[in-house]
Amino acid sequence: LNAVTYIGIIISIFCLVITIISYLSSKKLRTSEHGQLLLSLCFALMGLYITFIVAVQSRTVTGLCALSAAVLQYFFLVTFMLMAAEAINLYMKLVVVLGSNIPHYVLKATIISWLTPIFIVLFCFAPNYKNYVSDHFCRAFNIPYYIGMVVPFLIIYIFNWVIFFIIIVTLLRKSCKSDLKDVKKKQENISFVRQQLVIVTTLSVLFGLGWGIGLFATQDIHNNKIVRDLFAALFVIVTAFHGLFIFIMHCLRSKDIRSVWKHWFYGATGKKFSEFTSSTAGRIRNYRPNTSNTDSASDGDTLKRRFGKRTPTSPVGDSNVFTFDDSTLKKGSDTSKYSVDKFLSSQEGAI
């Protein structure tokens, strides 16, 4: 598991760096509420991953071990508070009446998420720093562990699950109403199921719902070593690769992010990505093997059938699930109907 953990952390850090640069490169994304919260979450996750590596390597130095354990606790709390902020943001956009949005919500949520954990860590660390020192792994133990990590985690984790179910029920109810009005959509059950799976997966990643598996990997919950090892393996996969999951769901599936990458490609090569793909396809279509006339004709027909009528498509969906156009979500709307419609329509053509 140690090797998998380090591999996952390295991959996640790399993916988070790409995500941060991509969102900062687009004014539309970095100024949107979701983009700002996602950037804060990426920075917090990067801090958590880097501090985790430092905490593992500083077991022999008492002072450094205690300090790294306290910083690890801080980034852990910041990460989950930002996940809760994301949950509240989506709840306000998809469920609650739009006119009741919290003014300057992102700024307030960011300040609270980054400052509140400082007081929690100081409250737990000040009485006895030795509760943050161990020969196995530098983290909080005893009372600071339960008060400063387990209790806040459980509160946020349960809250995120509640918001998750409310959003899913809202989207399903809206989808069912639309299906009753449109006969053709009744025949697209497979597409509908895929759409819901994408929504569930994206929300699960954004809300950190898989992190609760770690509770079952402790001796306080299970005494059976085999069961603990199983949950520990699942926990490592979910947490260590969390940055990768964010990159897949919020970069690869985002049309806006892919536009940013195409702009980078144009800046590096001096040629538009569409021109590059069309010229490449043209060279393939015009290719003629140096063989007999009969073979050449047959091979040419084969190449035309294979490449001539194909258009480059993306292996992922054309839009990001949570890319909202803030200009369309103005106060004065009576309900969140438009927001739900926008959310569902963004899933058309998803995986």
Side-chain angles (χ1 to χ4, degrees):
L1 290 180
N2 290 334
V4 176
T5 301
Y6 282 111
I7 292 173
I9 288 176
I10 293 173
I11 293 175
S12 290
I13 291 176
F14 178 75
C15 292
L16 289 173
V17 170
I18 297 177
T19 303
I20 290 171
I21 296 175
S22 300
Y23 270 79
L24 289 177
S25 300
S26 173
K27 182 178 179 181
K28 175 183 177 182
L29 294 176
R30 70 172 179 264
T31 56
S32 65
E33 291 185 353
H34 167 69
Q36 293 173 359
L37 289 174
L38 185 64
L39 284 171
S40 292
L41 179 59
C42 290
F43 280 116
L45 274 173
M46 284 187 60
L48 182 64
Y49 287 139
I50 295 173
T51 308
F52 175 84
I53 296 176
V54 175
V56 173
Q57 302 300 325
S58 60
R59 293 171 294 180
T60 57
V61 183
T62 302
L64 183 59
C65 182
L67 179 61
S68 61
V71 176
L72 181 67
Q73 179 185 5
Y74 169 76
F75 279 113
F76 175 81
L77 295 175
V78 171
T79 298
F80 268 90
M81 292 194 71
L82 288 171
M83 290 178 181
E86 284 274 21
I88 296 173
N89 184 45
L90 285 175
Y91 176 80
M92 297 294 292
K93 287 185 177 298
L94 299 176
V95 181
V96 181
V97 177
L98 294 179
S100 61
N101 283 347
I102 302 173
H104 306 293
Y105 170 75
V106 175
L107 178 62
K108 295 176 181 177
T110 303
I111 293 175
I112 293 174
S113 298
W114 285 94
L115 291 183
T116 303
I118 295 178
F119 300 101
I120 298 176
V121 173
L122 291 176
F123 177 79
C124 297
F125 186 83
N128 188 0
Y129 75 93
K130 292 184 178 179
N131 288 323
Y132 287 78
V133 179
S134 174
D135 295 333
H136 302 287
F137 178 62
C138 299
R139 67 170 178 85
F141 290 92
N142 302 324
I143 296 178
Y145 170 71
Y146 292 102
I147 295 179
M149 294 188 72
V150 175
V151 173
F153 168 77
L154 287 177
I155 293 174
I156 297 174
Y157 188 69
I158 294 173
F159 173 79
N160 286 354
W161 267 108
V162 172
I163 298 297
F164 172 78
F165 281 119
I166 293 175
I167 292 176
I168 291 298
V169 169
T170 302
L171 296 177
L172 287 175
R173 185 172 57 185
K174 178 62 182 177
S175 299
C176 292
K177 289 181 180 179
S178 299
D179 289 343
L180 291 176
K181 296 178 181 180
D182 193 342
V183 178
K184 293 182 180 179
K185 287 187 177 181
K186 292 182 180 180
Q187 301 174 358
E188 300 177 356
N189 293 330
I190 297 179
S191 177
F192 174 77
V193 171
R194 289 178 179 176
Q195 181 187 45
Q196 302 309 313
L197 287 176
V198 170
I199 294 174
V200 169
T201 303
T202 307
L203 289 176
S204 300
V205 171
L206 197 62
F207 295 174
L209 301 182
W211 288 59
I213 298 174
L215 295 175
F216 298 96
T218 61
Q219 294 182 355
D220 297 333
I221 304 296
H222 277 289
N223 293 324
N224 191 322
K225 187 177 183 302
I226 298 177
V227 176
R228 290 204 313 270
D229 291 342
L230 176 62
F231 280 111
L234 294 175
F235 178 73
V236 167
I237 294 173
V238 171
T239 56
F241 290 92
H242 197 103
L244 174 62
F245 300 149
I246 288 179
F247 175 76
I248 293 173
M249 303 308 296
H250 297 277
C251 282
L252 289 182
R253 296 191 67 256
S254 173
K255 184 177 180 180
D256 293 325
I257 292 296
R258 293 200 298 274
S259 298
V260 171
W261 292 346
K262 291 178 182 179
H263 180 72
W264 291 354
F265 181 85
Y266 175 76
T269 62
K271 182 180 294 188
K272 293 183 179 180
F273 186 78
S274 59
E275 295 176 355
F276 175 79
T277 54
S278 61
S279 63
T280 303
R283 287 196 297 270
I284 293 176
R285 286 195 297 268
N286 295 329
Y287 172 76
R288 292 292 185 275
N290 187 16
T291 58
S292 62
N293 294 334
T294 304
D295 294 338
S296 176
S298 61
D299 290 341
D301 293 339
T302 302
L303 287 173
K304 286 182 179 180
R305 287 196 300 270
R306 291 183 178 179
F307 301 104
K309 296 183 179 180
R310 293 182 63 180
T311 56
T313 57
S314 173
V316 291
D318 289 337
S319 60
N320 188 354
V321 179
F322 302 108
T323 300
F324 292 97
D325 187 356
D326 292 338
S327 62
T328 60
L329 301 179
K330 298 179 180 179
K331 291 185 179 181
S333 300
D334 295 331
T335 64
S336 59
K337 178 180 179 181
Y338 177 80
S339 182
V340 175
D341 287 338
K342 188 176 181 66
F343 185 92
L344 291 172
S345 63
S346 69
Q347 297 307 301
E348 298 297 335
I351 299 174

